[in-house]
Amino acid sequence: MAAYEILIADDHPLFRSALRQALTLSLGSTVRLVEAENIAELESCLQEKADWDLVLLDLNMPGAHGFSGLVLLRGQYPQVPVVMISAQEEATVMARAREFGASGFIPKSSPLEDIQKAVQIVLDGEVWWPAQTAATAAVTAEEKAASAGLASLTPQQFRVLTMVCDGLLNKQIAYDLNVSEATVKAHVTAIFRKLNVRTRTQAALLLQQMESIPQSE
């Protein structure tokens, strides 16, 4: 039986491989590491098994907009700790990750020892934040409301939302997801209600609020 079971969600194969090697070295051969290269694969892993010890989540993952992947995970799987990993190392980005529910933040430029230490600390039930993390998070009331709405979406509704925001029509979404157009319309209606928006443009703007850097910066 694996001592720990960890999901590595990153779209860069080389970085996933580096993480795998680092964690195998520090946690031993009994650690079970599973990789996902996009949000859909990550969701599939979580639907099959919801009691992972840790998810290591790249900030900019295909299928998500900035922190929306983190928000979705915290809403659907609050029992699973999530540590963000990113090449974006600004203090405001780290602070926003903390505000949106992450258990830690690992800059991709971190030394191997720091990555191993951070993971072990979170596995032990603590949190890990780099020294440069801002004391206060730059998250507005609007972003908090958007976060709460996104967290209430089901994984399928989240997929539909991202496709709506990418400009796809209902019939295109239905084809890609292999569902009926009526099902997509029902999802869109539910999404608008949960996000308290009336149009696709409003939904897209709300999702943009989850981008890693605030639009005003």
Side-chain angles (χ1 to χ4, degrees):
M1 182 177 177
Y4 295 108
E5 295 183 300
I6 300 173
L7 267 172
I8 300 174
D10 193 294
D11 60 329
H12 294 93
L14 283 176
F15 191 74
R16 292 201 308 271
S17 177
L19 274 178
R20 176 179 284 276
Q21 291 178 342
L23 298 180
T24 301
L25 277 173
S26 62
L27 299 173
S29 59
T30 59
V31 65
R32 178 179 176 234
L33 302 169
V34 176
E35 300 177 16
E37 61 180 5
N38 54 51
I39 290 294
E41 287 186 7
L42 176 60
E43 272 296 333
S44 178
C45 291
L46 285 162
Q47 287 173 357
E48 292 176 7
K49 172 183 169 61
D51 59 344
W52 295 89
D53 294 299
L54 176 64
V55 173
L56 297 172
L57 178 65
D58 186 19
L59 177 55
N60 294 304
M61 282 280 284
H65 290 249
F67 290 105
S68 65
L70 169 62
V71 169
L72 176 71
L73 261 63
R74 300 308 300 141
Q76 294 293 322
Y77 307 97
Q79 75 282 6
V80 180
V82 180
V83 171
M84 301 301 295
I85 300 177
S86 181
Q88 292 182 240
E89 302 177 11
E90 297 88 347
T92 53
V93 174
M94 299 180 193
R96 285 159 66 80
R98 182 169 59 190
E99 184 71 13
F100 287 130
S103 295
F105 191 103
I106 300 175
K108 285 192 174 181
S109 64
S110 300
L112 180 67
E113 295 77 13
D114 284 1
I115 294 174
Q116 294 170 329
K117 181 179 179 182
V119 168
Q120 187 60 63
I121 285 175
V122 175
L123 286 172
D124 289 341
E126 304 296 329
V127 296
W128 169 274
W129 298 99
Q132 67 266 41
T133 304
T136 57
V139 175
T140 66
E142 291 80 8
E143 287 169 330
K144 289 182 179 179
S147 172
L150 288 169
S152 71
L153 299 180
T154 67
Q156 186 77 329
Q157 288 170 350
F158 183 80
R159 277 190 285 273
V160 171
L161 173 62
T162 59
M163 296 170 88
V164 164
C165 294
D166 286 338
L168 273 66
L169 301 174
N170 284 356
K171 62 181 179 181
Q172 294 172 307
I173 296 172
Y175 178 82
D176 287 349
L177 295 181
N178 195 29
V179 297
S180 70
E181 194 170 343
T183 297
V184 174
K185 288 180 180 178
H187 281 317
V188 171
T189 299
I191 290 165
F192 284 7
R193 176 174 45 81
K194 288 183 176 181
L195 300 185
N196 195 29
V197 299
R198 295 182 179 181
T199 68
R200 290 173 178 245
T201 299
Q202 289 175 333
L205 289 172
L206 185 145
L207 195 58
Q208 285 176 6
Q209 292 179 348
M210 295 295 105
E211 296 293 352
S212 53
I213 298 295
Q215 299 299 310
S216 60
E217 291 190 3

